[in-house]
Amino acid sequence: DTGVSQDPRHKITKRGQNVTFRCDPISEHNRLYWYRQTLGQGPEFLTYFQNEAQLEKSRLLSDRFSAERPKGSFSTLEIQRTEQGDSAMYLCASSFSLPNEQFFGPGTRLTVL
Amino acid sequence: AQTVTQSQPEMSVQEAETVTLSCTYDTSESDYYLFWYKQPPSRQMILVIRQEAYKQQNATENRFSVNFQKAAKSFSLKISDSQLGDAAMYFCAYRSHDMRFGAGTRLTVKP
């Protein structure tokens, strides 16, 4: 296990379709985070898990977005009825509990046509 | 709400020279952490340096150091002896509960 991995790396979809992304954190880490990054901006926090519990959700996470971490290991982020405004890089990060640094994955770039 | 401001969208430095990237933040918390992350083109974000707010001593990691001014809510990054591999987007980040990032500074290193 060499780091955080994300799958797929790129996703192109048509507006209205559903997409799901996967994140595999560093195995010892109990915290997992999802961010969205648009071009020329810093990452924006979406949500995070401690083990399998989703502890915080940003207001950016509309009801079309859902995230799960069923066994406290990998996580999925699903976007339903995608919109063009959802086009962005979706980053996953993991860490031990505070105050440790977050380790980022390579991201999934979503393009909604 | 906590906000992080990076006022320099782009910076340029000559190889082997020193450059300072600025960051200010707004918070009412007294206990928090500050980070500088580096994001090279098409590559993933990696941590450059971290500062705990309760520590008065400025953090240093090899060629990277910070100037942390808690009262002024300022957290600048100094890169000494700049190398071509330092070219990247640099993000300042604040963490109390969740992590907040600035908009980034694109650093170009000229040979």
Side-chain angles (χ1 to χ4, degrees):
Chain A
D1 181 41
T2 56
V4 179
S5 62
Q6 293 186 245
D7 183 69
R9 296 290 304 276
H10 303 274
K11 178 71 177 178
I12 299 174
T13 191
K14 292 183 179 179
R15 188 176 55 187
Q17 297 294 305
N18 299 343
V19 294
T20 300
F21 310 141
R22 176 179 170 126
C23 170
D24 286 89
I26 293 172
S27 56
E28 307 86 54
H29 289 173
N30 57 355
R31 288 198 173 194
L32 187 148
Y33 305 81
W34 285 101
Y35 294 88
R36 182 175 69 188
Q37 185 178 23
T38 53
L39 199 62
Q41 297 296 317
E44 296 173 293
F45 170 78
L46 292 178
T47 188
Y48 90 90
F49 293 83
Q50 176 141 331
N51 300 313
E52 65 275 10
Q54 188 173 16
L55 295 188
E56 191 168 342
K57 293 195 291 186
S58 162
R59 284 175 292 179
L60 293 174
L61 212 67
S62 76
D63 56 6
R64 296 186 297 105
F65 288 69
S66 62
E68 294 183 343
R69 194 183 183 197
K71 297 182 180 179
S73 56
F74 73 92
S75 175
T76 57
L77 177 68
E78 181 184 17
I79 309 174
Q80 295 182 328
R81 305 180 302 281
T82 52
E83 302 173 355
Q84 287 184 326
D86 297 332
S87 295
M89 177 76 85
Y90 290 84
L91 297 171
C92 175
S94 71
S95 75
F96 294 110
S97 298
L98 286 172
N100 298 79
E101 69 174 281
Q102 295 180 15
F103 292 80
F104 282 81
T108 295
R109 182 170 296 283
L110 173 66
T111 302
V112 182
L113 301 176
Chain B
Q2 298 87 7
T3 59
V4 180
T5 303
Q6 293 180 249
S7 59
Q8 306 153 316
E10 296 184 357
M11 289 286 284
S12 179
V13 63
Q14 203 70 34
E15 194 176 6
E17 297 296 307
T18 295
V19 64
T20 298
L21 308 184
S22 301
C23 173
T24 58
Y25 58 95
D26 182 30
T27 184
S28 57
E29 304 277 349
S30 59
D31 189 20
Y32 52 88
Y33 303 86
L34 297 163
F35 305 85
W36 278 98
Y37 278 88
K38 170 185 177 181
Q39 189 176 40
S42 302
R43 296 183 63 186
Q44 61 203 76
M45 194 120 57
I46 56 173
L47 180 70
V48 174
I49 199 164
R50 180 180 82 184
Q51 175 80 43
E52 290 88 344
Y54 64 85
K55 289 187 178 178
Q56 293 185 338
Q57 187 173 7
N58 289 325
T60 299
E61 287 287 341
N62 300 315
R63 298 182 295 108
F64 299 88
S65 61
V66 299
N67 183 6
F68 173 47
Q69 302 289 329
K70 191 172 184 179
K73 297 179 183 175
S74 170
F75 182 61
S76 61
L77 174 70
K78 186 172 82 171
I79 306 174
S80 303
D81 186 27
S82 297
Q83 300 175 359
L84 295 177
D86 295 334
M89 283 291 290
Y90 285 81
F91 293 99
C92 177
Y94 163 101
R95 182 177 183 182
S96 175
H97 303 286
D98 58 13
M99 185 89 92
R100 304 277 174 160
F101 288 83
T105 296
R106 182 177 302 280
L107 178 66
T108 303
V109 182
K110 297 179 179 178

